[in-house]
């Protein structure tokens, strides 16, 4: 991933800002197209981050024989269900 690309979290926040701007009724067509283009770029950045994370998870969850290791992931709500 290039060093100048934003983190996943930053890209998501920037996308949220762009969506808010695109919802403005006073936005010109030219501005809307510019925001849309920026949004598409940020979406591609997020997709790259997600694919990288998926690859890392796959690597971590693959056993020496190449098969997936089954495991149960516990979330913070799991402990609430046990009470």
């Amino acid at each position: 991933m290039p060093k100048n690309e934003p983190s996943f979290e930053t890209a998501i926040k920037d996308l949220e800002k762009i969506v808010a701007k695109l919802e403005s009724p006073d936005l010109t067509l030219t501005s809307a197209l510019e925001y849309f283009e920026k949004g598409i770029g940020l979406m591609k950045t997020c997709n790259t981050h997600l694919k990288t994370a998926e690859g890392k998870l796959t690597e971590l969850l693959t056993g020496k024989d190449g098969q997936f290791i089954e495991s149960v992931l516990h979330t913070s709500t799991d402990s609430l269900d046990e009470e």
Side-chain angles (χ1 to χ4, degrees), residues 44-81:
K44 289 178 180 179
T45 296
C46 289
N47 192 38
T48 300
H49 283 295
L50 290 172
K51 285 185 178 194
T52 300
E54 181 182 29
K56 287 180 182 179
L57 286 173
T58 299
E59 183 179 319
L60 290 170
L61 295 175
T62 302
K64 292 179 182 175
D65 59 358
Q67 298 295 317
F68 280 109
I69 299 170
E70 289 190 40
S71 62
V72 178
L73 298 177
H74 297 284
T75 63
S76 60
T77 58
D78 288 343
S79 61
L80 296 175
D81 294 338

Side-chain angles (χ1 to χ4, degrees), residues 8-19:
F8 178 79
E9 294 78 11
T10 300
I12 290 290
K13 287 179 185 177
D14 290 347
L15 273 170
E16 290 172 349
K17 292 175 187 176
I18 287 173
V19 168

Side-chain angles (χ1 to χ4, degrees), residues 21-36:
K21 290 176 182 179
L22 286 170
E23 291 174 340
S24 171
D26 300 326
L27 192 64
T28 65
L29 178 60
T30 302
S31 294
L33 288 171
E34 288 174 5
Y35 286 127
F36 184 78

